[in-house]
Amino acid sequence: MDYRKLQNGSDIRGVALEGVAGQPITLTEQACRDIGRGFALWLMAKTGKKENLRVSVGRDSRLSGETLCGWLCEAMVAQGLQLTNFGMASTPAMFMSTVTEGYNYDGAVMITASHLPFNRNGFKFFTPEGGLESADIKAILAYAGGDEVTGLPAGTLSDGAFMDTYAAILADKVRQATGEETPLAGLRIVVDAGNGAGGFYADKVLRPLGANTDGSRYLDPDGSFPNHVPNPEDKEAMESIMEAVRETKADLGIIFDTDVDRAGAVLADGSELNRNRIIAMLAAILLREHPGTTIVTDSITSTGLAKFIEAKGGVHHRFKRGYRNVINESIRLNELGQDSQLAIETSGHGALKENYFLDDGAYLVTKLLIELARGRKEGYTLESLIAELEEPAESREFRMNIQLEDFKSYGQQVISDLQAYAEKQAGWSLAPSNYEGVRVNLDEAHGGGWFLLRLSLHDPLLPLNIESNVSGGVKKIAGELAGFLSGYDKLDTAALTAFAK
């Protein structure tokens, strides 16, 4: 098969199990073995080493994970690599195995498909420099489609463990910041791992710090995800952790995605800490620690968040969607001499300068724990940190399919035409410093909010985000847009048009 079709930005993803109509298996045994060989050859070329290359491998709770791991490992051993299989792990932990003293692997592989359905799986790759870029994945897949290399020395495969070490790093960070051995004693903190790989956080981070975790949910790994999708953006998943907080009267609720590179939270008052709210919370913390720093976000953050960051003395740099995009932009700004401590998407992918710019949901939550403990000592709450955040009255996303094979050029034309149209409309104004699609602010007479139309990174879609500060504003903005966008016959605007009526 054409392995290029398995690339998903800076990851590899495909179908690993039967059971969903119209989705044939693409991560076949041959594909997995070829990808393992491809990564081995790519790593040899990158490091210049053909011997004694050490690689760690981990997986989340997906049903297909162990099988895929076996195929991948056998292929890499055949290429001479010295492998250690960590078994159940989180994506951030796999990167940390390349930079933690005493481990220092040359590379790492995580077998995961994040929040995707049970039949999907995939691979994420790391070196001590961080996660791989899209061009690296392209090169790995090119090696995978090439000829086998023979005559290499025999590799090795052994079982190992790292999650206890990783969890101890997180717990020690809280102890060092608070100066206490059990700073969470007397606090009830519940975790919903959604049967993914995040259950360790309750047992190996929170409890050693003194927290009462009774009432936590779905900590046991189960790749059929019988309770809800492990995804902080999923409505049912967030309802689950909110319910757990209400039932136990917890001081904090935590929810992870399957491989723990994203997280959300619920505050003691039962309010959701997600999207703009979690960005605001982290910005408030980091701007106290690093006054004037730049917070890089994706393109669909709210106007209220921008005001909040600026009021705290920070700089809000709204960039493109895609976690690698925001991370790389933050790194770029730092290289130019502009301090940027946080790169974060509204999806919950967040990376801190102090933590290798690694998108690590468990690390973000650990920052919240430090603040929770500090606030209890000094007499403030987590809720108070974002009390001044102006939140929209309404928000809505429409995902409009482009029914054309050459969807990218068609989508860009729609965006270009809309920008030209927006420049002429009364009450509309183009947002300054926009890096993706077209973002337009509208005055109160035209809906009192903003919209952003952009092209999806990988799919034939034009997502349209609308936000308003007044009740009924989203409907008004949708109505102003529907007439223009419905004129494009290859763009499915049915849902937008129906909503606007």
Side-chain angles (χ1 to χ4, degrees):
M1 64 177 290
D2 184 356
Y3 290 150
R4 291 175 298 179
K5 294 180 180 179
L6 296 175
Q7 182 166 0
N8 184 70
S10 56
D11 303 338
I12 290 173
R13 289 183 181 174
V15 178
L17 292 175
E18 296 177 343
V20 178
Q23 295 187 14
I25 291 177
T26 54
L27 287 178
T28 61
E29 177 177 353
Q30 187 64 54
C32 292
R33 291 182 182 277
D34 286 344
I35 291 167
R37 176 170 52 83
F39 177 62
L41 296 174
W42 175 88
L43 192 59
M44 290 177 193
K46 178 177 176 58
T47 61
K49 295 169 60 177
K50 290 193 175 180
E51 296 183 7
N52 301 317
L53 270 174
R54 300 170 59 250
V55 171
S56 58
V57 181
R59 58 181 174 82
D60 66 19
S61 61
R62 291 176 179 276
L63 298 173
S64 58
E66 197 166 355
T67 299
L68 268 59
C69 183
W71 293 335
L72 190 84
C73 287
E74 286 178 8
M76 289 193 286
V77 167
Q79 298 301 306
L81 268 57
Q82 298 176 14
L83 296 184
T84 304
N85 181 3
F86 289 155
M88 189 69 59
S90 72
T91 292
M94 294 312 300
F95 164 73
M96 289 300 294
S97 74
T98 69
V99 295
T100 299
E101 187 176 353
Y103 293 87
N104 299 110
Y105 287 89
D106 298 294
V109 186
M110 177 66 180
I111 302 170
T112 182
S114 189
H115 62 281
L116 292 183
F118 78 97
N119 66 321
R120 302 298 186 101
N121 216 327
F123 306 103
K124 294 183 178 181
F125 304 93
F126 299 95
T127 69
E129 287 74 48
L132 270 56
E133 301 286 348
S134 178
D136 300 320
I137 301 301
K138 184 177 180 181
I140 288 171
L141 293 174
Y143 278 119
D147 296 331
E148 293 190 20
V149 177
T150 58
L152 295 169
T156 60
L157 174 61
S158 60
D159 291 332
F162 183 70
M163 289 305 293
D164 286 355
T165 299
Y166 170 71
I169 291 171
L170 297 177
D172 286 345
K173 180 172 181 62
V174 181
R175 292 190 179 105
Q176 290 165 11
T178 60
E180 297 180 25
E181 184 66 20
T182 55
L184 303 183
L187 294 171
R188 184 187 290 263
I189 303 174
V190 291
V191 175
D192 186 329
N195 303 112
F200 79 94
Y201 200 83
D203 296 332
K204 298 181 179 180
V205 180
L206 293 175
R207 287 176 188 163
L209 291 171
N212 178 349
T213 62
D214 293 348
S216 291
R217 297 181 170 191
Y218 319 134
L219 303 182
D220 295 331
D222 184 343
S224 63
F225 307 132
N227 296 291
H228 61 71
V229 176
N231 181 7
E233 286 193 291
D234 181 75
K235 184 177 180 181
E236 184 182 358
M238 285 305 300
E239 282 293 333
S240 176
I241 186 60
M242 291 172 76
E243 181 181 74
V245 169
R246 289 193 300 267
E247 287 183 355
T248 62
K249 295 181 173 57
D251 297 284
L252 184 67
I254 299 164
I255 183 168
F256 295 116
D257 75 341
T258 319
D259 62 328
V260 203
D261 62 358
R262 291 188 295 130
V266 175
L267 301 178
D269 64 1
S271 63
E272 184 178 323
L273 192 64
N274 221 344
R275 301 177 66 81
N276 290 291
R277 287 169 59 82
I278 197 168
I279 298 173
M281 179 79 72
L282 291 164
I285 294 168
L286 289 166
L287 282 164
R288 186 188 64 226
E289 298 172 355
H290 305 275
T293 195
T294 296
I295 310 297
V296 179
T297 72
D298 62 358
S299 59
I300 64 171
T301 48
S302 70
T303 302
L305 177 66
K307 291 181 181 178
F308 179 86
I309 291 171
E310 290 164 7
K312 294 287 184 183
V315 176
H316 181 212
H317 185 73
R318 189 187 286 120
F319 198 57
K320 301 176 182 177
R321 290 278 277 175
Y323 72 96
R324 289 305 313 177
N325 287 333
V326 295
I327 290 172
N328 288 343
E329 179 67 0
S330 189
I331 292 171
R332 185 186 72 84
L333 292 177
N334 279 289
E335 290 174 346
L336 292 175
Q338 180 177 346
D339 183 66
S340 176
Q341 292 289 330
L342 175 65
I344 186 166
E345 275 198 302
T346 47
S347 66
H349 272 295
L352 279 74
K353 182 179 180 180
E354 69 186 53
N355 189 43
Y356 305 94
F357 274 115
L358 172 66
D359 51 319
D360 184 347
Y363 192 90
L364 294 188
V365 167
T366 300
K367 293 287 285 188
L368 298 183
L369 297 184
I370 294 170
E371 201 65 24
L372 182 63
R374 179 181 285 129
R376 185 169 59 160
K377 272 187 173 181
E378 300 180 10
Y380 66 88
T381 64
L382 290 179
E383 291 89 334
S384 69
L385 295 179
I386 55 172
E388 298 170 4
L389 175 66
E390 296 177 14
E391 300 192 61
E394 300 175 338
S395 62
R396 185 80 180 249
E397 181 177 77
F398 300 91
R399 298 176 68 80
M400 299 177 289
N401 289 309
I402 301 174
Q403 299 160 334
L404 199 67
E405 186 171 343
D406 183 17
F407 68 90
K408 289 189 177 181
S409 59
Y410 188 85
Q412 292 292 0
Q413 187 61 57
V414 174
I415 290 170
S416 178
D417 292 349
L418 179 57
Q419 179 166 329
Y421 177 77
E423 290 173 343
K424 302 174 185 176
Q425 300 307 300
W428 292 27
S429 59
L430 293 174
S433 304
N434 184 58
Y435 293 90
E436 182 173 39
V438 55
R439 181 169 174 137
V440 176
N441 298 318
L442 298 95
D443 63 19
E444 287 192 13
H446 295 83
W450 58 267
F451 70 79
L452 172 74
L453 183 70
R454 61 185 177 85
L455 186 62
S456 172
L457 295 175
H458 309 297
D459 302 314
L461 291 169
L462 278 175
L464 171 65
N465 291 87
I466 306 176
E467 193 173 280
S468 174
N469 298 320
V470 297
S471 180
V474 167
K475 189 179 182 73
K476 188 173 186 63
I477 296 170
E480 298 211 7
L481 280 168
F484 175 83
L485 293 174
S486 61
Y488 292 86
D489 61 348
K490 301 301 182 184
L491 185 65
D492 182 4
T493 59
L496 175 67
T497 303
F499 175 81
K501 286 182 179 177

